[in-house]
Amino acid sequence: MQMRFDGLLGFSGGFVNLSKESLEEGLRRELSEELGVDITISEEHHVDACFSPTSSLSSSSRLILHFYVKKMEEEEIRKVEQMASSTAADHGQEVLGMVRVPLYTLKDGSGLATFLSHSFVGNARSQLINSLQRFNLVPPQELHKALSRAMEINSQTAMNLQVVMT
Amino acid sequence: MQMRFDGLLGFSGGFVNLSKESLEEGLRRELSEELGVDITISEEHHVDACFSPTSSLSSSSRLILHFYVKKMEEEEIRKVEQMASSTAADHGQEVLGMVRVPLYTLKDGSGLATFLSHSFVGNARSQLINSLQRFNLVPPQELHKALSRAMEINSQTAMNLQVVMT
């Protein structure tokens, strides 16, 4: 995932004008801008579509979020990370950095739980959780525990912020 | 800053055994492991020292946290980011990615505020805030507003997690 210009965590992507390009072409263009790599995307990678939770309910042109998942080997991901910090046009502008998601739970309960306690844009956290379930990347029970622990960590952050403020 | 193996945001660094190396030598070694670069650190970069908030109060060997700040040009930072994802030994292990801190506030109030709402290790959030004040990187009033907004974002995250859980 990436740290966005607005300080939120999110997935790479962006707006696509369907009168100019297909969804997959648009995503490929966005990935090129944000990651500095040319990644082929096809309809088979499409897993979900929904109305944007942040778009106005009354607006006549409601935004639709399309979510794609593509499996890659660690070596390919490492290449993407390297390109993202060297050739990507958006690096340091729209994108403040790429981060891997910890798909494990350490002895003290940190790892996935801590990551899920951060602030995400729109429905990015749900998309992440749904994908972890859909592709069996984390056992359902562990995922449930992680979410429960994420709420505790979120409360600790609230207290911590209260202390810093005073 | 970096996304750590435990899912928390923090600064680069680590344990130093003073019988084997000086604080500055130790930090240089840690930066080399985590960022893949050789950065000279001297005593003039030392800005703060305190007992670790996470170390046991009753322990006879309480941990002391030393904090260093070094000013770098954007070009140097870009080099560090590139090396961090290519040559750093800890990349993908101890470190899940490097991120820049947004030192601005966008029209919708996001930016620094959103970043400060994330989950940080130990006193990393305080160290960040103190450094922004100490080096006049963000006006005090803007910093105070950002912290106040960070608390609101933290509450939104709590509600969002509640929804995902059910």
Side-chain angles (χ1 to χ4, degrees), chain B residues 48 123 125-135 143:
Chain B
D48 193 34
N123 66 344
R125 181 178 9 240
S126 308
Q127 293 284 29
L128 172 61
I129 294 165
N130 291 345
S131 300
L132 296 181
Q133 287 179 313
R134 190 190 299 259
F135 296 95
L143 197 53

Side-chain angles (χ1 to χ4, degrees), chain A residues 5-8 78 81-82 85 91 96 99-100 104 111 114 117-119 129 147 151 154 158 162 164-165, chain B residues 5-8 78 81-82 85 91 96 99-100 104 111 114 117-119 129 147 151 154 158 162 164-165:
Chain A
F5 65 100
D6 57 6
L8 291 166
R78 192 171 265 266
E81 291 169 329
Q82 289 173 13
S85 61
H91 179 66
L96 302 180
V99 296
R100 297 190 189 187
Y104 47 77
T114 328
S117 76
H118 291 304
S119 307
I129 293 166
L147 276 165
M151 293 178 73
N154 173 267
Q162 194 78 53
V164 177
M165 275 291 276
Chain B
F5 64 100
D6 57 7
L8 291 166
R78 194 171 263 267
E81 290 168 330
Q82 289 173 14
S85 61
H91 178 67
L96 302 180
V99 296
R100 296 190 191 190
Y104 46 77
T114 329
S117 76
H118 291 304
S119 307
I129 294 165
L147 277 166
M151 291 177 74
N154 173 266
Q162 194 78 54
V164 177
M165 274 293 276

Side-chain angles (χ1 to χ4, degrees), chain A residues 3-4 10 34 36 39 43 55 57 68 73 80 89 93 100 107 109 119 130 152 156 160:
Chain A
M3 182 63 73
R4 295 157 40 98
E34 296 183 358
I39 299 176
E43 286 176 29
S55 72
L57 284 169
Y68 290 75
E73 297 298 323
V80 171
Q93 310 286 332
R100 297 190 189 187
K107 273 186 187 168
S119 307
N130 290 345
E152 290 171 28
Q156 286 167 16
N160 190 298

Side-chain angles (χ1 to χ4, degrees), chain A residues 67-82:
Chain A
F67 193 68
Y68 290 75
V69 174
K70 184 171 183 175
K71 199 178 164 184
M72 294 173 92
E73 297 298 323
E74 204 198 339
E75 205 46 53
E76 293 175 278
I77 289 167
R78 192 171 265 266
K79 184 80 193 163
V80 171
E81 291 169 329
Q82 289 173 13

